[in-house]
Amino acid sequence: MLSFVFSSTPLEARRISMIRDAEIENTIRKFIQPLLLAAGLEPLSIRIHIIKDNTLNAFVAEGQQIFINTGLILKSENANQLIGVLAHEIGHISGGHLIKSTIARKNISATSLLGLLLGGAAVIAGHPDAGAAAIQLGNNAGVRNYLKFSRTQESAADHSALRILEHTQQSARGLLQFMKILEDQELLSTRSQDPYLRTHPLNQNRISAIQQHTNNSEYTKKPTSNSNRIAYNRAKAKLFGFTQNLSRILRVYPESKSSIADIYARSIGYYRRPNIPKAVELINILIKKKPSDPYFHELKGQIFFENGKVDLALSSYQKSVNLMPNSSLLRAQLGRVQIAKNKPEFLKKAIHNLLYATDIEPTRPNLWRQLAIAYGRLDKKGESSRALAEEAILLGRNNEAIKIAKRAKNHSKTGTPNWLRAEDIITTARENLKNKPAKK
């Protein structure tokens, strides 16, 4: 399910939203895993964030986090281009280029950077009601300087990217193509340039070095693997379906074409129109072609759930989880539908799925909110209050977290895991309040 997490929009900011989608995130992970291993980095330590923004951009932030604009995926022409950019960004991580100066490191923490860019930690964590302001990258000099790399660092990241691509036996043609796209943008005014060029300065020497590599590499003409090509085409079609209007979708993915990516994009487009019968008809064609694909069942579940057909949604989401039981996002979505059934047997199953999701992603406030609802409906006041306290502390509402955690302790037996965790939340919240900078 493609879900958008929004932030508010003051006059000096633009509306920014994060996307959470199991298929797209897994596609990016599929692309970067061999690159990370070649760079000597641990794949599980990397966090991926997808920003709904049509501009061409990607960047890294402290804590080994990679941010990718949807514009980068939609404007890229093939998987090799996207992989080339990802290899370059991984070069920044492996080269320790995440902050340009010690002053920037001191004055702008990763948390405050994400808050400035994306409307606060709540947005990053996946809370749909986050209300902090999102500040446009181009209008905030501090954040822009934080992200801006020198030409020396850019050349070093290019060198790392070429080494990584060579080690993984992949062509660097995509990276060269991307650099030539940026070269064309240099002729534009600064205001019209995509933000990638403003934070990743380009010069002819960089392009020449990549060109020389492609002239000499034995892998330059090697085609992208079929699995990467298919995964890329699907991810791009899915994003296109969720972000463009139906008329444009039908121009790019016309009715005359019957590939999986074409049908996928049209199904999503009709679902958003909304033309639910047509959308379901198309998704059923996809399921018939690939009955073991979890993402097609997920989309069908989303269509049914958002149109009030809970039982049908439950069946589809359950199939998606059965096919991919280790996905925290799919398990969380199934849990949400199970809560909607509002029966004890389904509430217990929802708790099981949501606890699995929080084990993997403990910093997503909305998961704790859903857990609180499920526990509350089963009259488990201690567990419900503890879950609400978890949500509150993640959102920085420390006084509220203390109050709710005390309530959780009152409804829990002393020394039990729930009681001990509530005590931990109280201690942490008090420390947060103690260390909170004084207002000037």
Side-chain angles (χ1 to χ4, degrees):
M1 178 183 75
L2 202 70
S3 60
F4 301 114
V5 186
F6 294 102
S7 64
S8 64
T9 54
L11 293 176
E12 74 277 14
R14 60 193 169 96
R15 190 175 181 87
I16 289 182
S17 60
M18 299 293 292
I19 284 177
R20 295 303 312 272
D21 180 78
E23 180 175 14
I24 296 172
E25 289 179 16
N26 286 340
T27 295
I28 299 299
R29 287 208 169 275
K30 171 183 171 63
F31 291 167
I32 68 170
Q33 180 160 330
L35 306 176
L36 292 168
L37 292 173
L41 298 170
E42 170 52 55
L44 292 178
S45 68
I46 302 295
R47 293 185 65 192
I48 297 168
H49 305 283
I50 302 171
I51 306 170
K52 184 180 181 291
D53 190 309
N54 196 45
T55 59
L56 191 156
N57 201 11
F59 58 91
V60 294
E62 204 172 25
Q64 298 191 343
Q65 303 185 81
I66 299 177
F67 292 78
I68 304 165
N69 277 17
T70 55
L72 174 61
I73 301 172
L74 292 173
K75 292 181 180 181
S76 61
E77 298 171 351
N78 53 61
N80 191 236
Q81 286 185 12
L82 181 56
I83 290 169
V85 177
L86 293 172
H88 176 89
E89 296 304 318
I90 290 168
H92 280 307
I93 295 177
S94 63
H97 304 160
L98 298 184
I99 298 183
K100 189 178 180 182
S101 69
T102 55
I103 295 175
R105 184 184 297 274
K106 180 179 179 181
N107 292 336
I108 305 182
S109 68
T111 301
S112 62
L113 167 68
L114 303 186
L116 287 169
L117 279 174
L118 305 167
V123 175
I124 292 293
H127 195 280
D129 303 317
I135 299 179
Q136 185 173 0
L137 172 61
N139 292 338
N140 188 275
V143 177
R144 188 168 63 249
N145 289 336
Y146 178 100
L147 291 173
K148 189 171 184 177
F149 297 119
S150 70
R151 285 186 171 86
T152 300
Q153 290 170 325
E154 285 301 303
S155 295
D158 289 342
H159 180 75
S160 293
L162 296 174
R163 177 181 57 80
I164 290 168
L165 291 169
E166 193 75 7
H167 185 83
T168 56
Q169 301 182 9
Q170 296 186 85
S171 173
R173 280 186 304 181
L175 180 59
L176 180 62
Q177 292 165 357
F178 181 76
M179 291 301 170
K180 289 184 176 179
I181 292 171
L182 294 182
E183 186 180 33
D184 291 339
Q185 287 218 350
E186 282 196 307
L187 300 174
L188 303 175
S189 67
T190 302
R191 181 178 294 274
S192 300
Q193 290 171 346
D194 276 306
Y196 195 91
L197 187 60
R198 299 202 297 271
T199 56
H200 296 68
L202 181 67
N203 62 24
Q204 188 57 47
N205 289 339
R206 291 180 59 201
I207 295 177
S208 297
I210 299 171
Q211 180 74 69
Q212 183 177 1
H213 173 89
T214 59
N215 290 341
N216 297 324
S217 173
E218 64 178 296
Y219 304 114
T220 296
K221 294 183 179 180
K222 182 179 179 180
T224 303
S225 71
N226 195 48
S227 63
N228 278 356
R229 181 182 58 80
I230 291 171
Y232 167 83
N233 287 341
R234 283 183 49 160
K236 186 172 181 176
K238 191 172 194 178
L239 273 180
F240 205 93
F242 272 106
T243 59
Q244 308 300 315
N245 60 49
L246 182 60
S247 60
R248 189 170 182 211
I249 292 168
L250 293 177
R251 284 199 300 272
V252 177
Y253 298 95
E255 301 280 6
S256 59
K257 293 186 177 180
S258 58
S259 73
I260 284 178
D262 286 288
I263 298 172
Y264 208 7
R266 293 199 301 271
S267 175
I268 295 166
Y270 281 116
Y271 147 62
R272 291 178 57 239
R273 165 52 67 95
N275 183 340
I276 303 307
K278 182 67 173 178
V280 173
E281 174 190 332
L282 290 173
I283 200 67
N284 281 339
I285 291 173
L286 293 176
I287 290 173
K288 187 175 181 179
K289 285 176 177 282
K290 287 189 170 292
S292 297
D293 191 302
Y295 306 119
F296 295 154
H297 293 286
E298 177 199 20
L299 176 59
K300 191 174 181 181
Q302 180 179 357
I303 293 171
F304 284 140
F305 187 62
E306 293 183 4
N307 286 276
K309 299 180 179 180
V310 176
D311 288 336
L312 293 174
L314 184 65
S315 174
S316 292
Y317 273 123
Q318 186 64 64
K319 287 177 183 176
S320 73
V321 169
N322 290 345
L323 291 165
M324 188 176 284
N326 62 344
S327 171
S328 62
L329 281 176
L330 295 183
R331 295 278 284 264
Q333 290 160 20
L334 175 58
R336 189 170 61 129
V337 179
Q338 289 167 331
I339 288 173
K341 288 289 290 181
N342 201 22
K343 294 181 179 179
E345 62 270 28
F346 287 106
L347 292 169
K348 291 174 183 177
K349 291 177 181 179
I351 289 170
H352 173 75
N353 285 313
L354 290 165
L355 285 174
Y356 180 92
T358 56
D359 282 344
I360 296 175
E361 298 187 88
T363 58
R364 285 181 61 193
N366 196 44
L367 293 179
W368 294 105
R369 166 66 61 168
Q370 293 295 312
L371 264 174
I373 293 170
Y375 278 129
R377 290 181 180 178
L378 290 174
D379 202 32
K380 295 190 174 187
K381 297 178 181 178
E383 290 86 348
S384 181
S385 295
R386 175 264 174 111
L388 289 174
E390 297 277 9
E391 178 198 34
I393 199 166
L394 285 170
L395 295 176
R397 301 199 294 253
N398 292 294
N399 285 317
E400 182 181 340
I402 292 170
K403 180 180 178 181
I404 299 172
K406 286 181 178 179
R407 189 165 69 228
K409 287 179 66 177
N410 290 336
H411 289 289
S412 305
K413 291 184 179 180
T414 303
T416 60
N418 203 66
W419 188 95
L420 291 170
R421 178 55 191 156
E423 181 68 20
D424 287 342
I425 292 172
I426 293 169
T427 300
T428 302
R430 285 173 175 165
E431 284 296 313
N432 290 345
L433 290 170
K434 180 180 174 182
N435 298 325
K436 187 176 181 180
K439 291 184 179 180
K440 295 182 179 180

